[in-house]
């Protein structure tokens, strides 16, 4: 059995043994033909040898530099500390790498990426230095140019009034600007997530298709409701761009990364101005509606009042008709008959002159906006009556197909009733809660007051025409809820007094998203 060979301490394995297998002139040829500028100096940095690439890069011939210190290349703008560090490293017999500004023979400058290695003899003394450098001026120029462009783009993006945020494919924020950072303070944690969720909810399943096809969106208006804060409006745009993967893995197999650029413009002020104009218009519209409604109620009341005596008169005519042969008073019967006929004609004329409000065209109506506008309109009255308003809109309420003026009349009536009930109530809190809720096929609106409430026995009667608990007068003909009921019915919805609510009155309106009947 053979024993393993004992280590040969006299001739330890050494790199020099493999180097010995390469003829020494090959080493010289390697240095001579290298594409790097190579120089060899003595221990005081005096040049002993320079290769042809050194000559090409510096413009000095070998003969011109031999015996000179490498400082012949120094342009004197390289800070002293760089040389001190270089030499400190070399003195520790460690290689040094760094950038120096060099000057060629013709005076032109270039940036040298230089590596210096000490050459140490068998006694541990540095005998020579090996210097290798490349002209990296162009690479540096390109790098700086990219950095400058990046800085320029960043400062332009930062100066933009529009919030800009770059998201990766998982919608994580990669980059943002000042305007976006400001939004974080105003909208909380991650505005991009809030707005992307709102876009998703607004667009529905189509959003994922857009996303999968990397299709952009422009100027989508989003309303963000925040409890206890003024609602905010944003116009959002999305654009996609792709980037080549810069990792080493993707050098021969290019891969692409996709990014989503979200721009967010706060249009709340514009919307507030539009709202002010809308509320002025609503004010005028409601005043006109009230006038027409007053007329309708007065005429309907007159018809209602006249129908009674006219029916009595008609009954008397019938009675007289039966007796007229016996009594022979045909002339009186004919006169009364004539009076009844003319009375009926007058009633028909009155009925025909009741203004009709069914002519309005159905359109897409956002009930949050309608209710917010009505509450704004009622603000002076609410403040004067010391009523606390709790407005709880659904964050995402689908629009319904409805007749805007009629819906305004409906909800104004419910709010007016609640305000009146609260104003009349003695003691206790004066609270008005208005809330909207979104369901699969309908939206629900709740108008709730902390007033005396509607007694159980009147729960259905309050919707009958001319039913009033206040004694009919100029203001209370008892037609308000009857008209409200009519509007709801025309929209295919329901209106009722919630029997479960005991602490006041809760009116519930449910309106189908499909909307109004023609
Ligand atoms: P110097 O007076 O030469 O030196 C500045 C400081 O460096 C001194 O204060 C001192 O602390 C330190 N220092 C200098 N020489 C020594 C030394 N021998 N021992 C200890 N400390 C020392 N410089 C370039 O500008 N461009 C080059 O391409 C370049 N290539 C080099 C290649 C090699 C192989 C070597 C060894 C050096 C190279 N140098 C190069 C450095 C060069 O030798 C000079 O140190 C440098 O140019 C600064 O020169 P200076 O006359 O301004 O200052």
């Amino acid at each position: 059995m053979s024993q393993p060979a004992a280590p040969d301490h006299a001739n330890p394995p050494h790199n020099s043994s493999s180097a010995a297998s390469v003829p020494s002139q090959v080493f010289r040829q390697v240095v001579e033909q290298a594409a790097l500028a190579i120089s060899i100096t003595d221990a005081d940095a005096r040049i002993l040898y320079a290769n042809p690439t050194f000559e090409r890069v510096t413009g000095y011939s070998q003969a011109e530099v031999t015996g000179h210190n490498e400082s012949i290349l120094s342009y004197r703008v390289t800070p002293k500390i760089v040389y001190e560090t270089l030499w400190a490293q070399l003195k520790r017999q460690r290689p040094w790498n760094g950038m120096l500004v060099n000057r060629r023979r013709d005076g032109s400058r270039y940036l040298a990426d230089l590596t210096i290695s000490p050459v140490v003899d068998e006694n541990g003394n540095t005998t020579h230095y090996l210097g290798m450098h490349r002209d990296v001026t162009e690479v540096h120029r390109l790098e700086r140019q990219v950095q400058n462009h990046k800085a320029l783009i960043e400062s332009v993006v930062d100066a933009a009034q529009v919030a800009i945020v770059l998201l990766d494919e998982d919608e994580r924020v990669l980059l943002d600007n000042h305007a976006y950072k400001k939004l974080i303070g105003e909208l909380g944690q991650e505005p991009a997530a809030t707005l992307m969720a709102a876009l998703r909810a607004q667009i529905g399943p189509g959003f994922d298709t857009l996303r999968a096809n990397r299709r952009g969106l422009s100027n989508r208006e989003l309303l963000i409701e925040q409890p206890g804060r003024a609602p905010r409006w944003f116009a959002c745009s999305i654009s996609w761009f792709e980037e080549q993967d810069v990792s080493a893995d993707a050098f021969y197999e290019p891969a692409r990364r996709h990014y989503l650029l979200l721009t967010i413009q706060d249009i709340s002020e514009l919307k507030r101005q539009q709202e002010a104009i809308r509320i002025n218009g609503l004010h005028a519209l409601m005043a006109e509606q009230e006038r027409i409604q007053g007329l309708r109620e007065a005429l309907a009341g007159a018809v209602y009042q006249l129908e009674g005596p006219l029916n009595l008169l008609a009954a008397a005519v019938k009675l007289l008709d039966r007796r007229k042969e016996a009594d022979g008073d045909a002339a009186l019967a004919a006169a009364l008959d004539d009076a009844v006929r003319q009375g009926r004609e007058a009633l028909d004329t009155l009925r025909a002159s009741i203004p009709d409000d069914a002519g309005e065209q159905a359109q897409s109506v956002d009930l949050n906006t309608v209710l917010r506008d009505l509450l704004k309109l009622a603000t002076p009255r609410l403040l004067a009556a010391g009523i606390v308003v709790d407005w709880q809109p659904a964050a995402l309420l689908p629009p319904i197909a409805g007749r805007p003026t009629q819906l305004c009349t409906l909800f104004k009536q419910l709010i007016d009733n609640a305000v009146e009930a609260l104003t009349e109530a003695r003691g206790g809190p004066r609270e008005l809660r208005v809330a909207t809720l979104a369901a699969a096929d309908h939206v629900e609106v709740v108008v709730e007051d902390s007033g005396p409430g509607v007694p159980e026995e009147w729960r259905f009667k309050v919707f009958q025409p001319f039913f009033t608990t206040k004694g009919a007068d100029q203001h209370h003909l008892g037609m308000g809820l009857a008209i409200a009921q009519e509007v709801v019915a025309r929209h295919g919805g329901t209106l009722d007094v919630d029997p479960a609510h005991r602490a006041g009155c809760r009116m519930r309106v449910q309106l189908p998203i499909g909307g109004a009947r023609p």
Side-chain angles (χ1 to χ4, degrees):
M1 210 169 132
S2 63
Q3 295 292 318
D8 183 356
H9 292 291
N11 295 301
H14 193 269
N15 280 344
S16 59
S17 61
S18 53
S21 64
V22 179
S24 58
Q25 77 269 19
V26 173
F27 285 99
R28 186 169 187 93
Q29 283 163 348
V30 165
V31 175
E32 286 279 315
Q33 293 169 25
L36 277 173
I38 295 177
S39 57
I40 297 170
T41 71
D42 64 13
D44 294 324
R46 276 192 298 267
I47 300 170
L48 304 174
Y49 166 80
N51 76 349
T53 303
F54 184 99
E55 292 179 324
R56 213 171 34 251
V57 171
T58 64
Y60 288 106
S61 70
Q62 164 132 230
E64 282 170 319
V65 289
T66 304
H68 285 278
N69 191 295
E70 291 270 8
S71 63
I72 193 171
L73 298 176
S74 169
Y75 179 54
R76 314 275 166 204
V77 291
T78 306
K80 204 163 179 257
I81 181 77
V82 176
Y83 296 123
E84 284 171 359
T85 315
L86 174 160
W87 281 110
Q89 188 80 344
L90 295 184
K91 288 289 155 190
R92 274 186 262 132
Q93 297 188 331
R94 300 239 176 93
W96 176 89
N97 172 254
M99 301 284 192
L100 299 177
V101 181
N102 275 358
R103 185 172 49 186
R104 295 188 187 89
R105 188 176 188 278
D106 63 6
S108 62
R109 272 83 58 196
Y110 68 96
L111 192 68
D113 180 359
L114 170 68
T115 300
I116 305 175
S117 298
V119 180
V120 183
D121 68 10
E122 56 276 13
N123 300 318
N125 298 320
T126 304
T127 56
H128 298 84
Y129 291 108
L130 169 68
M132 295 171 288
H133 77 264
R134 284 185 311 136
D135 177 353
V136 292
T137 314
E138 186 58 14
V139 175
H140 171 73
R141 192 184 66 78
L142 291 172
E143 266 175 20
R144 272 289 149 87
Q145 211 169 44
V146 170
Q147 281 167 8
N148 288 348
H149 279 162
K150 190 168 171 270
L152 181 74
I153 290 168
E154 276 173 7
S155 53
V156 168
V157 167
D158 257 349
Q161 298 296 309
V162 176
I164 299 172
V165 59
L166 183 70
L167 308 176
D168 67 10
E169 291 200 78
D170 299 322
E171 294 181 12
R172 281 183 301 241
V173 173
L174 299 176
L175 263 178
D176 56 15
N177 69 345
H178 277 318
Y180 181 80
K181 288 192 178 77
K182 218 171 128 222
L183 271 187
I184 298 176
E186 293 162 7
L187 285 187
Q189 269 309 299
E190 204 56 271
T194 309
L195 293 164
M196 290 297 283
L199 275 173
R200 247 186 204 98
Q202 191 190 71
I203 297 169
F207 184 83
D208 288 331
T209 318
L210 280 175
R211 212 178 173 290
N213 297 328
R214 310 204 200 290
R215 296 258 311 276
L217 282 174
S218 73
N219 284 324
R220 277 273 171 170
E221 292 190 359
L222 295 174
L223 172 66
I224 303 294
E225 304 268 10
Q226 293 173 287
R229 287 194 190 186
R232 301 281 298 270
W233 281 93
F234 297 97
C236 291
S237 301
I238 285 181
S239 50
W240 290 89
F241 73 91
E242 60 178 34
E243 185 193 66
Q244 296 275 2
D245 191 339
V246 289
S247 67
D249 296 354
F251 190 79
Y252 286 113
E253 286 177 11
R256 288 186 171 80
R257 289 199 187 130
H258 293 94
Y259 298 97
L260 187 159
L261 190 71
L262 176 66
T263 56
I264 310 154
Q265 188 167 14
D266 188 344
I267 52 167
S268 305
E269 187 49 42
L270 178 75
K271 284 284 176 183
R272 266 190 280 281
Q273 286 167 9
Q274 287 175 349
E275 184 189 79
I277 294 168
R278 217 173 47 235
I279 286 175
N280 279 343
L282 186 65
H283 200 286
L285 184 72
M286 287 296 102
E288 176 64 7
Q289 279 301 107
E290 257 169 38
R291 194 186 66 76
I292 293 172
Q293 189 173 325
L295 203 59
R296 291 178 73 214
E297 287 178 8
L299 289 171
V303 169
Y304 181 69
Q305 297 296 327
L306 285 175
E307 266 171 346
L310 199 61
N311 286 342
L312 284 177
L313 204 58
V317 170
K318 271 195 191 126
L319 195 65
L320 207 65
D321 261 357
R322 263 183 258 132
R323 285 190 195 163
K324 75 182 170 195
E325 277 173 21
D327 298 351
D329 200 352
L332 178 61
L336 279 174
D337 201 28
D338 204 32
V340 170
R341 191 179 46 76
Q342 284 191 24
R344 293 231 184 276
E345 277 173 14
L347 271 186
D348 287 345
T349 311
L350 268 182
R351 275 199 200 95
S353 55
I354 295 175
D356 185 16
D357 67 351
E360 193 184 6
Q361 287 295 316
Q363 53 182 270
S364 175
V365 181
D366 172 19
L367 288 183
N368 273 353
T369 307
V370 168
L371 290 161
R372 190 179 307 106
D373 286 356
L374 286 171
L375 286 172
K376 276 252 162 72
L377 200 64
T379 302
R381 268 197 313 143
L382 294 166
L383 286 175
I387 296 170
V388 177
V389 178
D390 180 11
W391 165 227
Q392 291 184 349
L396 295 163
L397 193 71
I400 65 158
R403 299 190 172 93
T405 310
Q406 290 183 21
L407 291 170
C408 282
T409 309
L410 155 68
F411 291 113
K412 183 172 182 303
Q413 184 64 51
L414 299 186
I415 291 171
D416 284 352
N417 285 359
V419 171
E420 199 164 322
L422 288 170
T423 315
E424 283 169 10
R426 290 205 185 91
R430 287 184 169 186
E431 286 166 5
L432 169 65
R433 191 174 84 90
V434 180
T436 56
L437 294 122
D441 58 347
H442 69 273
V443 295
E444 182 170 311
V445 179
V446 172
V447 179
E448 185 182 304
D449 65 68
S450 58
V454 174
E456 178 60 31
E457 64 272 23
W458 289 349
R459 212 157 65 77
F460 299 106
K461 272 192 174 174
V462 287
F463 297 106
Q464 288 173 8
F466 302 109
F467 175 85
T468 174
T469 57
K470 316 233 158 97
D473 60 25
Q474 204 186 344
H475 300 293
H476 300 103
L477 286 172
M479 284 298 286
L481 282 180
I483 290 170
Q485 181 77 278
E486 197 182 310
V487 170
V488 173
R490 271 191 211 148
H491 284 78
T494 58
L495 164 64
D496 71 347
V497 179
D498 183 357
H501 189 69
R502 299 273 168 229
C505 172
R506 180 190 284 155
M507 288 287 184
R508 282 186 311 200
V509 183
Q510 289 193 349
L511 295 167
I513 292 171
R517 290 203 297 264

